């Protein structure tokens, strides 16, 4: 009887592992895509000087998720104000 309970519990753990692993993979890929898109956008920004591009790239590398979001919500829209 205990063996059946153990096997049933193991099946649930496997399913939760699959679900959490899939969610983790989706979040990781989403962050990677956001990071790459931010770097490409930073490089293509015409109004930024080279120093400002390097600064934004360092922020994106240091904080891949938050730095990329900051670029898209704050830096990209205010390029003329942030040029050195």
């Amino acid at each position: 009887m205990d063996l059946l309970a153990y096997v049933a519990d193991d099946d649930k753990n496997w399913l939760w592992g699959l679900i959490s692993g899939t969610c983790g993979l989706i979040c990781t890929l989403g962050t990677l895509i956001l990071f790459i898109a931010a770097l490409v956008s930073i490089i293509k920004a015409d109004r930024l000087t080279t120093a400002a591009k390097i600064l934004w790239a360092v922020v994106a590398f240091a904080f891949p998720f938050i730095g990329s979001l900051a670029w898209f919500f704050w830096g990209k829209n205010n390029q003329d104000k942030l040029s050195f």
Side-chain angles (χ1 to χ4, degrees):
M1 188 74 163
D2 290 333
L3 180 61
L4 292 176
Y6 177 74
V7 171
D9 189 44
D10 192 36
D11 287 341
K12 291 178 186 176
N13 288 337
W14 176 83
L15 180 61
W16 283 112
L18 179 66
I19 291 170
S20 64
T22 303
C23 291
L25 180 65
I26 290 170
C27 290
T28 302
L29 289 177
T31 301
L32 181 64
I33 290 168
L34 179 69
F35 173 71
I36 291 171
L39 286 180
V40 170
S41 179
I42 291 168
I43 291 169
K44 289 185 175 184
D46 293 333
R47 294 184 181 181
L48 291 179
T49 63
T50 303
K53 288 180 183 182
I54 291 171
L55 180 65
W56 273 109
V58 167
V59 169
F61 273 107
F63 309 103
F65 183 71
I66 299 297
S68 299
L69 283 179
W71 166 253
F72 283 116
F73 287 116
W74 186 55
K76 187 175 181 179
N77 296 330
N78 297 321
Q79 289 179 21
D80 52 346
K81 297 177 185 175
L82 296 175
S83 296
F84 295 58

